[in-house]
CSV table of all heavy atoms in Angstrom, one decimal:
chain,number,residue,atom,x,y,z
A,84,LEU,N,-5.0,-8.3,-14.8
A,84,LEU,CA,-4.5,-8.7,-16.1
A,84,LEU,C,-4.6,-10.2,-16.2
A,84,LEU,O,-4.7,-10.9,-15.2
A,84,LEU,CB,-3.1,-8.2,-16.4
A,84,LEU,CG,-2.0,-8.7,-15.4
A,84,LEU,CD1,-1.1,-9.6,-16.0
A,84,LEU,CD2,-1.4,-7.5,-14.8
A,102,VAL,N,-6.0,-24.9,-34.6
A,102,VAL,CA,-5.2,-25.7,-33.8
A,102,VAL,C,-5.0,-25.0,-32.4
A,102,VAL,O,-5.0,-25.7,-31.4
A,102,VAL,CB,-3.8,-25.8,-34.5
A,102,VAL,CG1,-2.9,-26.7,-33.7
A,102,VAL,CG2,-3.9,-26.3,-35.9
A,122,ASP,N,-16.6,-17.7,-20.5
A,122,ASP,CA,-15.4,-18.0,-21.3
A,122,ASP,C,-15.6,-19.1,-22.3
A,122,ASP,O,-15.2,-19.2,-23.4
A,122,ASP,CB,-14.3,-18.6,-20.3
A,122,ASP,CG,-13.8,-17.4,-19.4
A,122,ASP,OD1,-13.5,-16.3,-19.9
A,122,ASP,OD2,-13.8,-17.6,-18.2
A,123,GLU,N,-16.4,-20.2,-21.7
A,123,GLU,CA,-16.8,-21.3,-22.6
A,123,GLU,C,-17.5,-20.8,-23.9
A,123,GLU,O,-17.2,-21.2,-25.0
A,123,GLU,CB,-17.7,-22.4,-21.9
A,123,GLU,CG,-17.1,-22.8,-20.5
A,123,GLU,CD,-16.1,-24.0,-20.7
A,123,GLU,OE1,-16.0,-24.5,-21.7
A,123,GLU,OE2,-15.6,-24.3,-19.6
A,142,GLY,N,-13.0,-20.1,-50.6
A,142,GLY,CA,-13.7,-19.5,-51.7
A,142,GLY,C,-12.9,-18.4,-52.4
A,142,GLY,O,-13.4,-17.7,-53.2
A,192,PRO,N,1.7,-21.7,17.8
A,192,PRO,CA,1.0,-21.1,18.9
A,192,PRO,C,0.1,-20.0,18.5
A,192,PRO,O,0.5,-19.1,17.8
A,192,PRO,CB,2.1,-20.6,19.8
A,192,PRO,CG,3.4,-21.3,19.3
A,192,PRO,CD,3.2,-21.6,17.9
A,203,MET,N,0.2,-0.6,-2.2
A,203,MET,CA,-1.2,-1.2,-2.6
A,203,MET,C,-1.5,-0.4,-3.9
A,203,MET,O,-1.1,0.7,-4.2
A,203,MET,CB,-2.1,-1.0,-1.6
A,203,MET,CG,-1.8,-1.4,-0.2
A,203,MET,SD,-1.6,-3.3,-0.1
A,203,MET,CE,-0.4,-3.5,1.3
A,204,PHE,N,-2.5,-1.0,-4.6
A,204,PHE,CA,-2.9,-0.4,-5.9
A,204,PHE,C,-4.4,-0.3,-6.0
A,204,PHE,O,-5.1,-1.3,-5.9
A,204,PHE,CB,-2.3,-1.2,-7.0
A,204,PHE,CG,-0.9,-1.4,-6.9
A,204,PHE,CD1,-0.4,-2.4,-6.2
A,204,PHE,CD2,0.1,-0.6,-7.6
A,204,PHE,CE1,1.0,-2.6,-6.0
A,204,PHE,CE2,1.4,-0.7,-7.4
A,204,PHE,CZ,1.9,-1.7,-6.6
A,226,GLY,N,-6.2,-16.3,14.6
A,226,GLY,CA,-6.3,-17.4,15.6
A,226,GLY,C,-6.5,-17.1,17.0
A,226,GLY,O,-6.4,-15.9,17.4
A,322,CYS,N,-26.6,-7.8,20.2
A,322,CYS,CA,-27.0,-8.9,21.0
A,322,CYS,C,-26.2,-8.9,22.3
A,322,CYS,O,-25.2,-8.1,22.4
A,322,CYS,CB,-26.9,-10.3,20.3
A,322,CYS,SG,-25.2,-10.6,19.8
A,357,MET,N,-16.9,-7.6,11.7
A,357,MET,CA,-17.9,-7.8,12.8
A,357,MET,C,-17.3,-7.1,14.1
A,357,MET,O,-16.2,-6.9,14.2
A,357,MET,CB,-18.2,-9.2,13.1
A,357,MET,CG,-16.9,-10.0,13.4
A,357,MET,SD,-17.3,-11.7,13.7
A,357,MET,CE,-18.3,-11.6,15.2
A,405,ILE,N,2.8,10.3,6.5
A,405,ILE,CA,3.9,11.1,6.2
A,405,ILE,C,3.5,12.5,5.9
A,405,ILE,O,4.1,13.5,6.4
A,405,ILE,CB,4.7,10.6,5.0
A,405,ILE,CG1,5.2,9.1,5.2
A,405,ILE,CG2,5.8,11.4,4.5
A,405,ILE,CD1,6.5,8.9,5.7
A,452,ARG,N,33.7,5.3,6.4
A,452,ARG,CA,32.4,4.7,6.2
A,452,ARG,C,32.2,3.5,6.9
A,452,ARG,O,31.1,3.1,7.3
A,452,ARG,CB,32.3,4.4,4.7
A,452,ARG,CG,32.0,5.7,3.8
A,452,ARG,CD,32.1,5.4,2.3
A,452,ARG,NE,31.9,6.6,1.6
A,452,ARG,CZ,32.4,6.9,0.4
A,452,ARG,NH1,33.2,6.0,-0.2
A,452,ARG,NH2,32.1,8.0,-0.3
A,489,GLU,N,50.3,16.8,3.6
A,489,GLU,CA,49.7,15.9,4.5
A,489,GLU,C,50.1,14.4,4.3
A,489,GLU,O,50.5,13.7,5.3
A,489,GLU,CB,48.2,15.9,4.4
A,489,GLU,CG,47.5,17.1,5.1
A,489,GLU,CD,47.6,18.4,4.3
A,489,GLU,OE1,48.0,18.3,3.1
A,489,GLU,OE2,47.2,19.5,4.8
A,500,LEU,N,33.8,22.8,9.6
A,500,LEU,CA,33.2,23.8,8.7
A,500,LEU,C,32.2,24.7,9.4
A,500,LEU,O,32.0,25.8,9.0
A,500,LEU,CB,32.5,23.1,7.6
A,500,LEU,CG,33.5,22.3,6.7
A,500,LEU,CD1,32.8,21.3,5.7
A,500,LEU,CD2,34.4,23.3,5.9
Side-chain angles (χ1 to χ4, degrees):
L84 57 114
V102 185
D122 294 312
E123 307 275 354
M203 307 294 156
F204 306 85
C322 62
M357 59 177 296
I405 300 264
R452 285 175 179 149
E489 279 80 7
L500 293 167

